[in-house]
Amino acid sequence: MRDILPDLRARCVDGIPFALATVVAVHGSAPRGPGAVMAVDAAGTVLGSVSGGCVEGDVYEVAREVLAGAGTRVVSYGISDDEAFGVGLTCGGTIEVLVRAYATAAEREDLAAVLDLIADDLPVAEATVLSGAAETGARLVVRPADTPGSAGTLGSEGLDAAVADDARGLLAQGRTAIQWYGAHGRRRTREVAVFVRTYAPPPRMLVFGAIDHAAATARIGSFLGYRVTVCDARPAFATRERFPTADEVVRAWPHTYLESTEVDARTAICVLTHDPRFDVPLLVAALRTPAAYIGVMGSRRTHHDRLARLRAAGVDETHLARLASPVGLDLGARTPEETAVSIAAEIIQHRWGGTGRPLGELTGAIHHGGPDARE
C-alpha cells in the first residue's frame, strides 16, 4: 500500500473512482504476499501489483467490472497451463485477491481517512469480510485501544467486538492475517472469514557512528523501509549534508540518545562507531533493549577485546550472545556500499530465519517465517 499511497490519496481528493485489488491469501509459491495491492481507476490507469505480472491482466478486467457495479469479489488464481499462456501463477502457487470499488464519495472519504493515518505513520488495521455469514466487503477500521477513530461495521456488534480485539493484537505484532469467526463473533467457528490488514509504523534502524559505512547503511535501511536515525556525538560529522537519506540525524553521545529514544522488538541497531569510548556504554544500553538486531562493526580481534570490556562492565554471556559481530554476512564485501549490503542481508536473515547460504545449494521452502513460505 505504501508504494502507491500518494497516488491513492490524490484520487480520493480529486474524486476519481477506482477499484482496489488486495492479495488476501497465499498458498505455496507466489511473487507477492498478503497485503500487496493494485488499483485501477476510472481512466484505466493501473497502480501497484498483486503478482509481479502473472495475473495482473485478469485482475485488471475484474477490477473494471467491479468498478462498473459488479460488487465486491474474491478471486483465486492457481498455476497457469504448462506453457504459461493461461491465467495463473507460473511459480506453482495460489493467491486469493479481494477486489472492491471506491466508486462513491463516501467510500473514498472512508478510505482517505485510513490513508491519512498510514501516511502519518499512525497504527491502524482494516478488517474486511471475505466470505461466509456476513456481507462480502463489509469493512471495519480499527485503531489501538487507547486511540479513538474506529469506524464501520462487519454486520453485528459481537462480530465487530471480536474482530476489533484480534485486530489490535495483530497490529501490535505488525501481522496481517485471515481470521475466522461465528456470525456474531464466536471464536473457533468457521462461519465468517475476515481479512485483517495491519498498518504499523515503519520499524526503526538506529545507526551509530557518522562514517562512510554509516551513510551507505542509512541508504539501504531507507530502501528496506526502515525509519533511519544516524547518531554521533561529533558535530562536524553528524550533519544532514552527509546523511541526506536518513529520517533524522542526531548529535548526542550514542548511549545517552539510545537510553532516551523508543526501541521495540522490530528495531535494528547498527553500531559502527568502532571506538571503545562509544561502543561499550552504547552496547550496555543496547543489550537492555528488546531490539531485534544489534550489529557491531570491527575485526575479530576488536570484537574479542570488546567482549572482555563488556564482561568487565557486568554484561552476562546470554546478553553477549545477542551481538552480531563482526557485523554482516560473509559476502566478501570491501566498499562501504558492499558492507551495507552485507549488514542488510544479516538483518533480513535475523528477521526471517534464513541460513545465509546460496538458495541453489538448498531444497525446500525459499521463504522462511510463516505460513506463506514459498517453495
Side-chain angles (χ1 to χ4, degrees), residues 280 283 287 300-317 319-323 325:
V280 173
L283 290 173
L287 290 169
R300 298 187 192 282
R301 179 177 178 178
T302 298
H303 180 56
H304 180 77
D305 176 70
R306 182 186 294 126
L307 291 178
R309 292 173 183 268
L310 289 170
R311 290 187 184 103
V315 180
D316 62 33
E317 298 302 316
H319 285 84
L320 292 177
R322 294 179 59 198
L323 298 178
S325 181

Side-chain angles (χ1 to χ4, degrees), residues 55-116:
V55 301
E56 261 72 3
D58 193 73
V59 173
Y60 174 86
E61 296 300 333
V62 173
R64 297 282 282 179
E65 293 170 7
V66 169
L67 194 54
T72 300
R73 292 177 57 186
V74 178
V75 291
S76 296
Y77 298 95
I79 190 170
S80 63
D81 63 33
D82 291 341
E83 300 198 0
F85 292 134
V87 175
L89 303 177
T90 58
C91 46
T94 301
I95 63 172
E96 297 177 35
V97 181
L98 169 71
V99 186
R100 65 174 301 156
Y102 292 90
T104 69
E107 289 169 337
R108 291 189 297 274
E109 182 178 341
D110 288 345
L111 180 62
V114 174
L115 299 179
D116 289 345

Side-chain angles (χ1 to χ4, degrees), residues 69-252:
T72 300
R73 292 177 57 186
V74 178
V75 291
S76 296
Y77 298 95
I79 190 170
S80 63
D81 63 33
D82 291 341
E83 300 198 0
F85 292 134
V87 175
L89 303 177
T90 58
C91 46
T94 301
I95 63 172
E96 297 177 35
V97 181
L98 169 71
V99 186
R100 65 174 301 156
Y102 292 90
T104 69
E107 289 169 337
R108 291 189 297 274
E109 182 178 341
D110 288 345
L111 180 62
V114 174
L115 299 179
D116 289 345
L117 293 171
I118 298 170
D120 290 337
D121 288 337
L122 296 174
V124 63
E126 188 177 27
T128 307
V129 173
L130 299 180
S131 63
E135 181 185 354
T136 299
R139 177 171 167 269
L140 177 69
V141 176
V142 181
R143 299 294 313 281
D146 59 350
T147 306
S150 298
T153 181
L154 303 181
S156 77
E157 185 176 339
L159 183 57
D160 288 349
V163 172
D165 186 50
D166 290 346
R168 290 185 177 107
L170 291 169
L171 186 58
Q173 301 170 42
R175 292 181 52 222
T176 287
I178 293 178
Q179 306 283 90
W180 286 88
Y181 303 89
H184 298 285
R186 183 179 178 183
R187 292 179 173 83
R188 297 183 295 279
T189 303
R190 298 177 67 86
E191 294 177 359
V192 181
V194 179
F195 176 63
V196 182
R197 175 71 166 105
T198 65
Y199 301 94
R204 299 190 70 190
M205 175 181 285
L206 306 179
V207 181
F208 294 97
I211 62 175
D212 289 347
H213 289 81
T217 301
R219 287 196 297 273
I220 202 165
S222 297
F223 176 75
L224 292 176
Y226 284 89
R227 179 173 178 81
V228 179
T229 298
V230 176
C231 176
D232 196 295
R234 301 167 296 177
F237 292 90
T239 65
R240 171 56 63 186
E241 291 74 21
R242 299 189 71 234
F243 300 96
T245 65
D247 293 283
E248 59 180 349
V249 179
V250 176
R251 298 173 186 173

